[in-house]
Amino acid sequence: MTPSTLTPHHPISPIREEDLDAFAFLVPPSGVKLLVLLGKHDGLRLLNAWPGVQIVVPKGPCNNQGGARRWAQIVAIVGEPATVKLADEMGGECMEVPTLDDLRKERRNRAIRAQFDELTASAPHGQGLSKAAAVLELNLLHAPMTWRQLEIIIDRPVVDWSAQNTLF
């Protein structure tokens, strides 16, 4: 394993559709509302483009200068049809785009546990490293995460969320 920039499990890498499927239970109601309203594809584009953003949704493309600018920004992210849906449902309302931090953290933690299992498994399926050696490799790969943070993630029991409801 070699360090790379923004691996799929990096805490700030984009959320993917498979992440929504696997971690639907960690999407807050505001995220579910956007995903249901805009559809998975367009909702995900908005969630990835503006995590943590709070704006007033414009009522139309030309209602005022600020609204026109915001309209164009939303259209650039999700397209005109999705922007019209958003305006019809939420025009004039404050929209809060969730950061999905809990989802990103759980995705990262599962990836770290899987990497640890690969590093510590006996050959030919793994590298056969000791726990200390594996944590060191993970520490180098996931810096600036501390050794202790990695141990906590590795030692935490895995929760089976399969009984939870899904988004779609």
Side-chain angles (χ1 to χ4, degrees):
M1 277 187 255
T2 59
S4 64
T5 57
L6 247 45
T7 57
H9 55 269
H10 191 280
I12 62 169
S13 66
I15 302 297
R16 303 162 301 182
E17 286 194 29
E18 53 266 24
D19 296 329
L20 289 177
D21 295 337
F23 306 111
F25 58 94
L26 292 172
V27 177
S30 58
V32 172
K33 182 177 180 177
L34 288 173
L35 290 163
V36 169
L37 177 63
L38 301 178
K40 216 179 209 184
H41 179 73
D42 290 331
L44 198 52
R45 291 176 70 182
L46 189 60
L47 290 168
N48 281 321
W50 283 351
V53 169
Q54 180 177 330
I55 63 162
V56 174
V57 176
K59 293 180 181 181
C62 301
N63 55 333
N64 62 49
Q65 188 177 13
R69 182 175 52 254
R70 198 71 60 236
W71 183 274
Q73 290 170 326
I74 297 170
V75 167
I77 295 169
V78 297
E80 188 83 25
T83 304
V84 170
K85 283 185 200 175
L86 189 63
D88 288 347
E89 182 71 24
M90 299 180 69
E93 295 179 29
C94 183
M95 173 181 70
E96 295 184 28
V97 182
T99 61
L100 301 180
D101 285 342
D102 291 339
L103 185 153
R104 293 171 199 275
K105 186 175 180 181
E106 182 62 24
R107 176 184 63 183
R108 178 207 63 199
N109 291 352
R110 286 191 187 184
I112 287 171
R113 284 187 206 103
Q115 291 168 334
F116 176 80
D117 291 345
E118 180 185 318
L119 289 168
T120 57
S122 300
H125 302 292
Q127 297 182 26
L129 299 179
S130 68
K131 179 179 181 179
V135 172
L136 174 60
E137 292 300 317
L138 291 170
N139 200 204
L140 293 169
L141 185 64
H142 293 279
M145 186 173 281
T146 67
W147 181 286
R148 183 68 187 130
Q149 285 174 303
L150 287 164
E151 283 187 321
I152 289 169
I153 291 166
I154 291 163
D155 293 340
R156 183 169 290 144
V158 177
V159 178
D160 179 18
W161 297 100
S162 60
Q164 297 291 321
N165 292 334
T166 59
L167 283 174
F168 301 98

